[in-house]
Amino acid sequence: MAALLDDPAWADQDMAALFSPGELSARRGGAGARGWLLGRLAAKAAAGRRWRLSPAEVEIKSGPAGRPWSFRASAPAGFISLSHTRGAAAAVAADRPVGVDLEPWSRPLSDRAWTWSFAPGERRLAESGGSFPARLALWCAKEAAAKSWGRALLDNLPRVRVAEADWPAGRLTVAWRGRGRKMSEVRLSRWDAYLVALAQSRPE
Ligand SMILES: CC(C)(COP(=O)(O)OP(=O)(O)OC[C@H]1O[C@@H](n2cnc3c(N)ncnc32)[C@H](O)[C@@H]1OP(=O)(O)O)[C@@H](O)C(=O)NCCC(=O)NCCS
């Protein structure tokens, strides 16, 4: 995994100079501009480390459903996932489908969002979150697992369920309840002031 804390000294134009014209053709403007740049920098770093490539050799592009992919000389290099939030970004690269989600550790999840987004059985899993902020951890685990299956969580909320939680080990199991059963194992950790959920899809 590669994670970056944003630094106000980094100008957007200097960061953009690290990307190819093909990558920049999808560049986001407005409020999402900084996160887009940071996320892709983290992705280049993760892919570079995983496959021993220089950042210039790796291209990060998005598929039609928004899933990022990494390329080397126009050929797929492997699986990649990225996440950006206020002040930071993280990415992971692997030879198996992966997903990552990053959120500020102290980000609250309102009662309304909690009851709307989680089934009663999932909410019971959060009664003891150990050292993790349980509600946020369950949310991040779902986000990361959904990404590992190439899905956006909000479009699939009822189909993504946290099935098991081993809080002392920081491990959750997330199941896909749509067509074709899938499972992902999610590892939770703290990095700086952020909660990180890293999902690996189990081989089918
Ligand atoms: C699209 C979604 C993945 C966005 O998640 P998010 O938490 O807002 O943002 P993140 O930075 O963690 O993830 C965004 C990245 O997910 C990736 N992504 C988007 N669609 C994806 C898909 N179908 N499959 C895999 N990855 C995907 C992209 O790389 C995207 O970044 P990019 O657009 O810069 O390339 C989706 O699950 C969503 O809308 N979630 C709701 C967010 C929310 O309500 N959060 C409250 C938290 S308490």
Side-chain angles (χ1 to χ4, degrees), residues 28 36 40 62 65-68 82-84 101 103 107 109 136 139 143 147 150-154:
R28 198 165 300 143
W36 189 92
R40 271 156 180 73
S62 297
R67 184 181 201 165
L82 65 91
S83 178
H84 35 77
D101 196 52
E103 291 290 348
R107 180 172 187 162
L109 207 66
L136 184 69
W139 177 268
E143 283 274 22
K147 288 179 187 175
R151 313 276 181 159
L153 179 61
L154 278 196

